[in-house]
Amino acid sequence: MSLHTTENIEKTTLIRKYSPLTCDVLSELRNSGEYCDVILRTDDQHLFKVHRAILCSCSSFFRALFTNGMNETTDQIVDIHDINGDIMNLIIDYVYTREIKFNDNNIYEILSAANQLQVLELFSLCENYLYEKLNPENILGIREFASFFYCKKLCEQTEIYLLTNFTEISIKSQEFLELNLEQIIDILNSDELNIKSEEAVFDAVIRWIDYKVDERKKNIVDLLKCVRLGLLTTNFFIEKVKCHPYIINNETCKPLVIDTLKYLYELDVDTYQDLFVQNPIARPRIPHEIIFVCGGWSGGSPTSVIELYDTRADKWFQLPFNDRFPRAYHGIVTINNFIYVIGGFDGMEYFNSCRIFDLKILQWNEIAPMNVKRCYVSVTVLDGLIYAMGGFDGHSRQSTAERYSPNSNQWLPIPPMHAQRSDASATVLQNRIYICGGFNGQECMNSAEYFDPKTNQWTMIAPMRNRRSGIGVIAFHNSIYAIGGFNGSTRMNSGERYNPKTNTWLSMPDMYNPRSNFAIENKLKFFLHRREN
C-alpha cells in the first residue's frame, strides 16, 4: 500500500503537554537510566528502560497494566507482544519527547502499535498523516486499513474523499479494480456519489468487469442495477449501454433495458415530471445533481411549492411534496441531507415554526419552534448546529439570536447581538459566525459583528464602507465578502472584502448588475436574484 509521497520522512510534533525543558529532562533521565523502574521487552528481544509513571501518563494500556495488581505491577521486566523493537523505540521516544518521524514504511506499524498501546494522541497523529497523503491511487487501501483498525475519523475522511473523487479514482486506481463485488456495489449504490454524469458510473462498472472478464461478466445485472440508468442521456443509453456486448444478449438484463427505454421516452416527451424522483432508476444522487427551491414569494403571495432542477435534463420540475403551509422570507440551511426551513411569513402571520425536509424519503416534518418569531431571519450552520439571528417578529427588528441542535430538537438562546437587524446575512469563517448589514427598522446598516461559540460573546468589527440591507455575505479564502444590497435609496452592484487579521474592509470590482435579496454559493460562485416590486 504505497502513499506516493514526495518526501520519505516527515517530522510531526504534537502540541506539547510538557514544556520543551521538561521533555528534555525526561528524555535525559530515560537515556541515562536514572529512576527507571521497569524494562519493556519486545518479541525480538529489544529491551527498553522506562518510567512507569511516564508511560501511564499517556497510555491507558500501560495505566491498566501497571495498576492491575497482577505480576506486571511489580515485575522488573514486562513483555510487550506483537510490536517489534524498532517501532517500540519510536513510540517510547514519542512518549518522552512528543516528537516522532513518520515515513511510508513505518506509518502503518506505528498506527497499529499506537492502537494496541492506546497512545491516543499518537493514534490521532497517524490518522492526520494518512489523511494528508490521500490520493486517487492509495485511497481505497487506506480506507480498508482505517476500517480494520476502527479509525473513526480516518474512516469518515476516506469515505468523503472516495465519494467526492470517485471518477478519478475509478480511472487511476489499481485498488479499485481489485475490489470485490460487494465492495463495489456498496460504493456505486451511494446516493452521495459525486459524479458529473451517470456515464462515469457505467464506465467504472465496465472497467471493473474488464479487469477479470471471465470471472466478473456474470455480475453485470447486479452492477447495472447500481447505475441510475434513467439519469443517462438517451443517446448514451442506446449507443453505449443497450448494445454493450455484456448486455445485449443477456436475458437477465432485458427487464432493466426495457424499463429504462420506457422511462427515457416518457421523459423526452415531458410527461413524466411528477414521478421523476420517485422512479428508482432515476433517483438523483444527493447533493451533487439537484437544486431545491422551497417556498418564497410568488404571484403576489407566499407559496409552499417545491421545485427541483435536474442538471441532467436541464429542466425544472415541480414536486408533489409541497410543504403544508405557504412561507416566504424564511431562512434555509442543509445538514446531512436534510433541508431546514426556519421562520418566515405567510402574508398574515410571522412564524417561529420550523420545518425539515428529508431528501432521502422526500417527506416534511415539524421540528421544535424557535423562541422568537422571525422573518427576514439570518441563518447559518456551525459544527452541526443551526444559528438563527435577528429578523422581524411583526412588531420590531430583533437583536436576539438562538441555536438549534438537531440531536436534541431544541432551540436555546445565545447572547443577543449588539444591534437589531433584519435582512442581514450571515456566514462562518474560522469557527466564528459573522453577520453583516441589515435593517434596524429605521435605516439600512453598515455595521457587522461576529459570534464566537467558545467565548459565547458577540464582538463588533469595523463597519462596512456602505450601508447594505438584503446583502449577500459569504466566507472565501479567509475573507468575508459582502456583495450588493439596498442602501436605503438604491440597489447596489458594489462589493467589499473584510480581512479579519487587519479588521479592515476593502472595495472590490463592481458586479454588472445591481441586486439585493439574492442567494450566493461559494463553490460555483453564482448568484440567484430575487425580484421585488
Side-chain angles (χ1 to χ4, degrees), residues 337-394:
N337 296 328
F338 293 97
I339 297 175
Y340 292 83
V341 176
I342 312 297
F345 177 63
D346 68 356
M348 296 289 291
E349 183 180 355
Y350 297 86
F351 292 146
N352 64 344
S353 63
C354 302
R355 304 278 286 169
I356 182 174
F357 185 68
D358 188 328
L359 292 172
K360 290 187 176 180
I361 63 175
L362 303 174
Q363 179 176 305
W364 283 100
N365 285 296
E366 193 87 9
I367 62 172
M370 294 181 290
N371 297 291
V372 176
K373 295 180 178 182
R374 304 178 191 273
C375 77
Y376 308 113
V377 60
S378 301
V379 296
T380 193
V381 175
L382 175 59
D383 292 334
L385 302 175
I386 300 172
Y387 289 77
M389 297 152 285
F392 181 59
D393 66 359

Side-chain angles (χ1 to χ4, degrees), residues 411-469:
W411 287 93
L412 293 175
I414 63 172
M417 298 179 289
H418 290 94
Q420 297 171 295
R421 54 181 95 229
S422 67
D423 295 279
S425 188
T427 190
V428 172
L429 179 66
Q430 297 169 352
N431 295 315
R432 292 172 172 174
I433 296 170
Y434 287 80
I435 187 167
C436 304
F439 180 65
N440 64 9
Q442 296 179 331
E443 61 182 356
C444 298
M445 306 168 67
N446 64 349
S447 65
E449 51 190 304
Y450 70 78
F451 178 74
D452 189 337
K454 292 182 180 179
T455 62
N456 201 38
Q457 289 183 336
W458 286 95
T459 301
M460 297 296 295
I461 63 174
M464 296 181 291
R465 292 169 171 249
N466 295 279
R467 298 179 183 273
R468 301 178 187 272
S469 176

Side-chain angles (χ1 to χ4, degrees), residues 259-278:
D259 287 347
T260 304
L261 286 172
K262 179 182 177 183
Y263 173 82
L264 292 174
Y265 171 77
E266 291 175 325
L267 181 62
D268 286 341
V269 298
D270 207 27
T271 61
Y272 207 61
Q273 293 186 17
D274 287 345
L275 298 180
F276 173 73
V277 295
Q278 293 180 314

Side-chain angles (χ1 to χ4, degrees), residues 10-16 94 97-100 102 125:
E10 294 189 9
K11 189 174 184 180
T12 304
T13 305
L14 194 66
I15 297 174
R16 297 175 186 264
Y94 168 78
T97 67
R98 289 302 193 267
E99 293 182 352
I100 193 165
F102 295 138
L125 278 180

Side-chain angles (χ1 to χ4, degrees), residues 167-404:
T167 301
E168 186 179 5
I169 292 167
S170 69
I171 294 172
K172 294 183 177 180
S173 173
Q174 177 68 24
E175 295 173 342
F176 174 80
L177 300 176
E178 299 288 351
L179 292 174
N180 62 41
L181 179 63
E182 182 180 346
Q183 289 172 321
I184 195 167
I185 286 177
D186 181 63
I187 294 171
L188 299 183
N189 272 334
S190 174
D191 285 338
E192 298 184 8
L193 199 63
N194 182 17
I195 49 175
K196 289 184 177 179
S197 74
E198 203 68 20
E199 296 172 8
V201 180
F202 179 77
D203 291 340
V205 165
I206 299 304
R207 272 194 298 275
W208 185 82
I209 293 176
D210 286 344
Y211 184 66
K212 295 181 180 179
V213 62
D214 292 336
E215 175 185 331
R216 294 175 173 177
K217 65 181 180 181
K218 66 178 183 291
N219 302 125
I220 181 62
V221 68
D222 293 323
L223 293 169
L224 206 56
K225 291 177 181 177
C226 301
V227 183
R228 313 286 168 90
L229 297 172
L231 301 182
L232 296 170
T233 64
T234 302
N235 286 342
F236 185 89
F237 181 78
I238 292 174
E239 296 174 6
K240 301 292 186 181
V241 180
K242 177 176 175 289
C243 298
H244 194 280
Y246 298 156
I247 297 171
I248 191 169
N249 294 318
N250 189 319
E251 290 296 321
T252 58
C253 291
K254 282 188 177 180
L256 270 177
V257 171
I258 292 171
D259 287 347
T260 304
L261 286 172
K262 179 182 177 183
Y263 173 82
L264 292 174
Y265 171 77
E266 291 175 325
L267 181 62
D268 286 341
V269 298
D270 207 27
T271 61
Y272 207 61
Q273 293 186 17
D274 287 345
L275 298 180
F276 173 73
V277 295
Q278 293 180 314
N279 194 315
I281 67 171
R283 189 172 77 253
R285 298 188 190 269
I286 298 171
H288 310 283
E289 298 175 335
I290 52 178
I291 298 172
F292 282 89
V293 177
C294 303
W297 200 270
S298 176
S301 63
T303 179
S304 61
V305 169
I306 299 180
E307 294 187 59
L308 174 152
Y309 177 71
D310 170 29
T311 57
R312 182 196 68 83
D314 192 24
K315 292 181 180 179
W316 285 95
F317 298 89
Q318 185 170 319
L319 302 185
F321 312 110
N322 294 350
D323 198 359
R324 187 184 309 168
F325 303 109
R327 188 182 300 249
Y329 306 130
H330 48 277
I332 188 166
V333 294
T334 61
I335 302 177
N336 297 332
N337 296 328
F338 293 97
I339 297 175
Y340 292 83
V341 176
I342 312 297
F345 177 63
D346 68 356
M348 296 289 291
E349 183 180 355
Y350 297 86
F351 292 146
N352 64 344
S353 63
C354 302
R355 304 278 286 169
I356 182 174
F357 185 68
D358 188 328
L359 292 172
K360 290 187 176 180
I361 63 175
L362 303 174
Q363 179 176 305
W364 283 100
N365 285 296
E366 193 87 9
I367 62 172
M370 294 181 290
N371 297 291
V372 176
K373 295 180 178 182
R374 304 178 191 273
C375 77
Y376 308 113
V377 60
S378 301
V379 296
T380 193
V381 175
L382 175 59
D383 292 334
L385 302 175
I386 300 172
Y387 289 77
M389 297 152 285
F392 181 59
D393 66 359
H395 301 285
S396 61
R397 266 65 190 182
Q398 295 292 311
S399 62
T400 60
E402 47 193 306
R403 177 170 57 204
Y404 176 77

Side-chain angles (χ1 to χ4, degrees), residues 26-50:
L26 293 176
S27 184
E28 185 178 333
L29 288 174
R30 178 205 164 199
N31 292 333
S32 66
E34 289 186 74
Y35 305 113
C36 291
D37 53 1
V38 68
I39 296 174
L40 302 182
R41 180 171 59 195
T42 58
D43 291 338
D44 53 0
Q45 300 304 303
H46 283 72
L47 301 176
F48 303 93
K49 293 182 179 181
V50 292

Side-chain angles (χ1 to χ4, degrees), residues 94-114:
Y94 168 78
V95 168
Y96 279 83
T97 67
R98 289 302 193 267
E99 293 182 352
I100 193 165
K101 293 180 179 179
F102 295 138
N103 61 50
D104 295 7
N105 298 320
N106 68 22
I107 181 63
Y108 298 104
E109 289 186 276
I110 292 174
L111 186 146
S112 174

